[in-house]
Amino acid sequence: MTPAKLAEVVLAAAHAVFTGRGLDLSALPQTTAVERPRNPEHGDYASTLALQLAKKTGVPPRELASAIAEQLGRTSGIKSVEIAGPGFLNIRLDAAAAGQLARVVVEAGEAYGHSDRFDGQHVNLEFVSANPTGPVHIGGVRWAAVGDALSRLLRAAGAEVTTEYYFNDAGSQIDRFARSLRAAARDEPTPEDGYRGAYIGEIANTVAKEHPEALTAPEPESLEIFRVAGVNIMFEEIKSSLVDFGVHFDVYFNEKQLHDEGELELALTRLRAEGHIFDADGAVWLRTTDFGDDKDRVLRKSDGDWTYFAGDCAYYLDKRQRGFDRVVIMLGADHHGYIGRMKAMSACFGDNPDHNLEILIGQLVNLVENGEALRMSKRAGTTLTLEDLVDRIGVDAARYALARYSIDSPIDIDVDLWTRSTRDNPVYYVQYVAARTASVGRNAAEVGLTRGAGAEFHPELLDHEKELDLLKSLGDYPAAVTAAAELREPHRVARYLEDLSGAYHRFYDNCRILPRGDEELTDTHRARLWLNDATRTVIANGLGLLGVTAPERM
């Protein structure tokens, strides 16, 4: 019996009590939940439903809990129900009901853990969004790993998600990039505010080879060639490196599109119609202070040029008009001040900022090698890049390490730890279970052991303490996935997988799955193979949500 099914049973028992006592059925919730008690001695699952309903009905909670417990005691699969404290229900399942979860997991396969929590939601998830002036730096890599994992989690919870990368090929940064390329191609010193690193020379040489006229053309024409060609080369490299990292975007959106299609004017017209635009000092302003911003924001300067914030407004409106009811933007730690103005802007459009716009801020990442934090990239010449991280610890370890921690926490990624083939390396610890469960399956096939079907599966035989602990852990997976999606915290899945791995190792060490020598194959062996394969399913599903492989061999 899954926790979700048990929750339905508890709610049904409460419904029976209400009906029998003539209580108002409208006081019953549509759904409820059960949870693992902190002390395993208290039972397999606990429910606070009686406490919740007592407030609505006026019936003392222990009296209500006693009536619900009596109903539950008549339910197949429930071994016992005890009432604790002011009205907690502590529930124990019989072995057959607990063991059935192994079949549920295996038969559900990749769908196990999925839900309809966000069914009907259309989410635009924007992350990384680095300008094409250099390789993706290590901070952006964190967003690549976390953002991609979050997109998978939201989809698993029923949302329709579009992942998006926003970039521009204009502005002062791109001008500096073009000047840097031109200088490198002409063997001139790098401009004082220019970009440095081996990649600049590589791109400059490629542009010069493909467009030799760029070396001798007048400066404006030359810079334009280096700008267009250089940005194209750099951005293709960024996209390629992200694909190699397992990150694929549904949409690449160029800021230039907003200007070319008149979307900034459209946004300004909409905001003026909403009554939040005013003109002062020759400029056009958005009165964001009406919605909690620390100051009003200029949209169009007195010289007629648009501000970056005007582009933000137009881009947000574009997303909303494409049908997204929730816009999620992931930004680095240096963008914390961005939240207030963006939330106010959303309100200026008539939206609910708490529903329609969500901004996630992530903290910094350090790469540590030989006990020292690395600062410089050999190729980029500045901050460390995606390639620097992957070259040292690999894609799987990098993705797992970046997704394993709350985005609110800075990360120190220790190269020695994440390349170690020992249990203190979290990704190795979890992937080892994936490989071990696959190995058990192969070895079982060699000795003729199969799970069997129908009456051949005897879940009641899974009654060893370590088997029951593993079953409980498997049952926790759907709630872990839903919580990770709701809270935007992929690290919850990683920590869950580590707990599950520990439960599997304890099961494996105490409950022999395969027969020894000429030992006869028994129903216990078959039941344990179901449990082994269920673990393999959940480990693979969880790692898949993090974009990490579940190897069959290590």
Side-chain angles (χ1 to χ4, degrees):
M1 186 182 300
T2 66
K5 180 61 178 177
L6 178 58
E8 291 178 7
V9 170
V10 171
L11 191 58
H15 188 281
V17 170
F18 270 49
T19 300
R21 294 191 172 208
L23 298 174
D24 182 6
L25 291 174
S26 66
L28 286 170
Q30 294 296 311
T31 60
T32 188
V34 295
E35 58 188 22
R36 296 272 295 276
R38 293 182 181 178
N39 186 346
E41 295 180 1
H42 292 167
D44 297 323
Y45 294 97
S47 171
T48 61
L49 183 61
L51 293 170
Q52 300 168 31
L53 296 178
K55 299 176 183 178
K56 299 178 179 180
T57 61
V59 179
R62 282 189 66 89
E63 180 182 336
L64 198 54
S66 178
I68 295 174
E70 184 179 349
Q71 286 289 333
L72 288 172
R74 303 170 189 162
T75 304
S76 174
I78 293 182
K79 182 178 181 180
S80 66
V81 184
E82 297 175 357
I83 303 166
F88 295 104
L89 292 165
N90 289 335
I91 305 167
R92 286 182 171 83
L93 303 180
D94 64 32
Q100 280 289 355
L101 180 64
R103 184 200 296 273
V104 170
V105 173
V106 171
E107 291 182 347
E110 293 182 1
Y112 183 67
H114 287 207
S115 71
D116 59 0
R117 173 67 181 82
F118 296 129
D119 190 33
Q121 282 198 21
H122 296 265
V123 179
N124 182 282
L125 178 60
E126 180 198 341
F127 57 100
V128 182
S129 293
N131 285 332
T133 56
V136 179
H137 62 77
I138 198 166
V141 182
R142 183 176 197 179
W143 280 137
V146 174
D148 188 62
L150 183 54
S151 73
R152 296 166 187 246
L153 281 165
L154 291 170
R155 289 177 179 127
E160 183 178 320
V161 181
T162 295
T163 56
E164 192 147 319
Y165 188 118
Y166 179 70
F167 71 100
N168 70 60
D169 56 4
S172 60
Q173 289 183 330
I174 300 297
D175 291 339
R176 288 163 48 204
F177 180 62
R179 290 198 305 272
S180 301
L181 293 177
R182 184 173 184 270
R186 291 160 60 95
D187 292 324
E188 297 173 353
T190 302
E192 186 175 341
D193 62 347
Y195 292 93
R196 293 170 172 80
Y199 80 97
I200 289 292
E202 294 167 6
I203 295 175
N205 290 336
T206 300
V207 175
K209 183 177 180 180
E210 295 178 354
H211 303 276
E213 70 278 11
L215 295 175
T216 56
E219 184 172 339
E221 290 86 345
S222 175
L223 287 173
E224 179 64 11
I225 293 171
F226 278 105
R227 184 189 69 79
V228 174
V231 164
N232 287 340
I233 293 170
M234 188 71 257
F235 196 54
E236 287 304 313
E237 182 177 319
I238 288 172
K239 288 194 283 188
S240 177
S241 65
L242 288 169
V243 168
D244 291 343
F245 197 56
V247 178
H248 304 261
F249 287 91
D250 299 314
V251 175
Y252 290 93
F253 193 102
N254 189 343
E255 183 185 9
K256 187 173 182 292
Q257 178 179 331
L258 299 173
H259 293 267
D260 291 347
E261 298 183 6
E263 295 198 50
L264 282 88
E265 289 283 3
L266 179 65
L268 178 59
T269 300
R270 169 73 177 272
L271 291 168
R272 195 179 290 278
E274 294 286 346
H276 302 298
I277 293 294
F278 68 96
D279 300 294
D281 303 322
V284 180
W285 298 69
L286 181 63
R287 190 175 284 107
T288 52
T289 52
D290 285 351
F291 298 99
D293 195 8
D294 58 346
K295 62 181 180 180
D296 294 324
R297 304 288 171 174
V298 176
L299 296 182
R300 200 165 203 168
K301 296 182 284 188
S302 57
D303 62 4
D305 288 343
W306 295 101
T307 63
Y308 284 116
F309 186 61
D312 292 334
C313 295
Y315 187 36
Y316 173 79
L317 181 61
D318 179 274
K319 290 178 178 180
R320 294 285 286 121
Q321 291 184 329
R322 278 188 273 150
F324 298 108
D325 47 57
R326 195 166 191 90
V327 172
V328 182
I329 306 172
M330 310 178 81
L331 299 171
D334 56 341
H335 286 78
H336 200 278
Y338 196 71
I339 299 176
R341 75 189 72 167
M342 290 295 289
K343 290 283 188 179
M345 173 267 291
S346 172
C348 287
F349 277 117
D351 284 347
N352 178 352
D354 294 329
H355 173 76
N356 299 117
L357 176 63
E358 186 175 346
I359 298 177
L360 305 178
I361 301 292
Q363 296 303 313
L364 301 176
V365 180
N366 291 313
L367 188 61
V368 177
E369 193 169 35
N370 299 322
E372 296 185 1
L374 301 178
R375 300 297 181 195
M376 303 294 285
S377 167
K378 290 182 180 179
R379 181 164 182 264
T382 52
T383 57
L384 295 172
T385 67
L386 187 159
E387 286 78 10
D388 293 317
L389 178 60
V390 170
D391 286 348
R392 284 170 170 81
I393 68 174
V395 171
D396 277 349
R399 289 193 61 133
Y400 193 98
L402 290 165
R404 185 177 184 261
Y405 301 92
S406 167
I407 60 173
D408 296 331
S409 304
I411 306 176
D412 286 334
I413 298 179
D414 189 322
V415 171
D416 178 60
L417 170 67
W418 289 95
T419 54
R420 199 179 296 160
S421 298
T422 57
R423 62 184 303 155
D424 56 344
N425 175 352
V427 71
Y428 178 85
Y429 185 60
V430 175
Q431 287 186 316
Y432 186 76
V433 172
R436 172 171 271 187
T437 52
S439 175
V440 167
R442 290 192 299 272
N443 293 336
E446 289 178 3
V447 299
L449 175 63
T450 62
R451 293 193 304 262
E456 294 180 276
F457 176 47
H458 293 273
E460 70 277 4
L461 297 176
L462 298 174
D463 60 356
H464 189 282
E465 176 188 2
K466 303 307 179 186
E467 293 168 336
L468 294 173
D469 286 346
L470 180 53
L471 285 163
K472 291 176 187 176
S473 188
L474 293 171
D476 288 341
Y477 177 67
V481 173
T482 300
E486 287 178 337
L487 299 172
R488 316 306 194 228
E489 295 181 344
H491 71 274
R492 288 175 175 267
V493 173
R495 299 309 175 100
Y496 164 82
L497 291 175
E498 291 163 36
D499 289 343
L500 174 62
S501 297
Y504 178 81
H505 285 306
R506 291 186 290 273
F507 155 72
Y508 184 89
D509 292 341
N510 288 275
C511 304
R512 186 163 184 84
I513 304 171
L514 303 177
R516 289 188 175 91
D518 295 330
E519 182 182 354
E520 182 181 354
L521 298 179
T522 68
D523 289 336
T524 298
H525 293 127
R526 278 185 281 274
R528 287 174 175 171
L529 185 58
W530 275 95
L531 188 49
N532 175 84
D533 292 356
T535 305
R536 166 77 191 177
T537 296
V538 173
I539 288 286
N541 288 357
L543 286 174
L545 290 175
L546 301 179
V548 177
T549 63
E552 295 193 356
R553 290 179 171 82
M554 288 185 71

